[in-house]
């Protein structure tokens, strides 16, 4: 349990992703989303969390290799962080596809 706490202290973005997962799950239950919508939502959750874990692994590996500034190290970190941004953007688009009609239905 101590290692898990240390991990979440070091990887705070992952904690945000897990919190978003809880919110999306609650919304999915509330709106009674369909099976294919659950599949879409949790595919995106998995994509974002996997991207974040790979990003963390790349950053830690680069830091282990060198503490000095190196342009290629910076590129590796930036590209892996960019992958997280792309996956989060894709997840946002899917979330809007699934949930926006539900929210509009509440308003009307």
């Amino acid at each position: 349990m101590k290692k898990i706490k240390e991990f979440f202290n070091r990887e705070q973005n992952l904690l945000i992703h897990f919190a978003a997962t809880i919110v999306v799950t609650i919304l999915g239950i509330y709106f009674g989303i369909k099976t294919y919508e659950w599949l879409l939502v949790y595919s995106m959750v998995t994509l974002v969390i996997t991207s974040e874990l790979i990003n963390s692994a790349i950053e830690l590996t680069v830091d282990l290799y060198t503490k000095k500034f190196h342009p290629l190290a910076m590129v590796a970190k930036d590209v892996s962080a960019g992958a997280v941004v792309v996956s989060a953007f894709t997840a946002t688009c899917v979330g809007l596809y699934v949930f926006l009609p539900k929210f509009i239905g509440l308003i009307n």
Side-chain angles (χ1 to χ4, degrees), residues 18 20 25-26 33 35 37 39 41 43 49 52 56 61 63-64 70 74-75 81 85 95 106:
F18 278 115
T25 300
I26 291 168
I33 64 176
T35 303
E37 292 170 322
L39 182 62
V41 167
S43 292
I49 290 174
E52 189 66 55
S56 296
T61 302
D63 290 345
L64 179 65
H70 192 284
M74 182 183 72
V75 170
V85 171
L106 279 179

Side-chain angles (χ1 to χ4, degrees), residues 36-50:
Y36 80 91
E37 292 170 322
W38 280 115
L39 182 62
L40 286 171
V41 167
Y42 274 98
S43 292
M44 292 300 100
V45 165
T46 303
L47 175 68
V48 172
I49 290 174
T50 301

Side-chain angles (χ1 to χ4, degrees), residues 31 33-34 36-38 40-41 93-103:
F31 286 122
I33 64 176
K34 298 177 177 126
Y36 80 91
E37 292 170 322
W38 280 115
L40 286 171
V41 167
C93 291
V94 170
L96 288 173
Y97 170 78
V98 171
F99 290 108
L100 191 59
K102 306 323 190 221
F103 281 112

